[in-house]
Amino acid sequence: MKRLLMLNGPNLNLLGKREPTIYGNSGLEEVETELRELLDVHGWGLSCFQSNHEGELIDHIHKAEGQFEGIIFNPAAYTHTSVALRDAISAISVPVIEVHISNVHNREPFRRESLLAPVCWGQIAGLGTIGYKVAAQAFLEAEK
Ligand code: CA2
């Protein structure tokens, strides 16, 4: 069975509980359920992992090699800081789509820079949690 991995970085466990004007009302579990439903229609599986710890995210990226068709990754604040996550993505052959719920381009200037985007297949920002589904659609289309 073809499978995707959804990874979410620090503080995204608070999704739907705080700052709804920026990040919306849906919780992470709801996002995971909707994504699983979408993939299920196409006979694909989904694994999900959220962590507030950089090393745990790196471990999951390493373990994804050979296991998944793609990774949907919201690295949260690590997007703007983590050379280690960039190196982990570079070290695997599984394609990664970077997803941001908010429009990182109309917020503070430091959010405009992603250290990870240059080593990802693509980047989606500003579509709210719909962005995760758009990323899944891209992987489905690419595998047709
Ligand atoms: O827009 C995004 O998805 C971000 O990756 C979210 C990060 C932020 O640092 C990035 O610049 C853009 C922050 C995640 C914090 O998530 C929260 C969710 C609900 C309430 C509070 C924080």
Side-chain angles (χ1 to χ4, degrees), residues 41-76:
V41 171
H42 298 272
W44 284 41
L46 178 71
S47 288
C48 301
F49 180 72
Q50 185 276 331
S51 178
N52 296 324
H53 305 278
E54 192 176 23
E56 287 190 347
L57 294 165
I58 292 167
D59 289 344
H60 276 72
I61 291 169
H62 291 172
K63 280 190 265 177
E65 185 72 341
Q67 303 298 313
F68 296 95
E69 319 308 314
I71 303 175
I72 299 170
F73 188 19
N74 186 342

Side-chain angles (χ1 to χ4, degrees), residues 8-121:
N8 282 285
N11 298 307
L12 286 163
N13 52 310
L14 300 177
L15 208 58
K17 297 176 186 146
R18 309 262 158 76
E19 302 200 67
T21 50
I22 302 175
Y23 299 115
N25 293 306
S26 304
L28 203 50
E29 276 182 25
E30 201 177 328
V31 173
E32 289 174 7
T33 301
E34 285 188 18
L35 203 55
R36 192 163 278 119
E37 282 168 3
L38 166 71
L39 289 166
D40 193 50
V41 171
H42 298 272
W44 284 41
L46 178 71
S47 288
C48 301
F49 180 72
Q50 185 276 331
S51 178
N52 296 324
H53 305 278
E54 192 176 23
E56 287 190 347
L57 294 165
I58 292 167
D59 289 344
H60 276 72
I61 291 169
H62 291 172
K63 280 190 265 177
E65 185 72 341
Q67 303 298 313
F68 296 95
E69 319 308 314
I71 303 175
I72 299 170
F73 188 19
N74 186 342
Y78 288 141
T79 306
H80 321 294
T81 63
S82 181
V83 175
L85 279 169
R86 180 189 172 120
D87 290 346
I89 294 169
S90 292
I92 60 164
S93 59
V94 183
V96 177
I97 299 180
E98 182 183 307
V99 172
H100 298 289
I101 299 164
S102 66
N103 183 348
V104 284
H105 301 286
N106 69 10
R107 300 183 64 191
E108 301 95 328
F110 67 83
R111 292 189 203 275
R112 282 184 209 139
E113 193 194 358
S114 168
L115 297 188
L116 311 186
V119 296
C120 289
W121 181 31

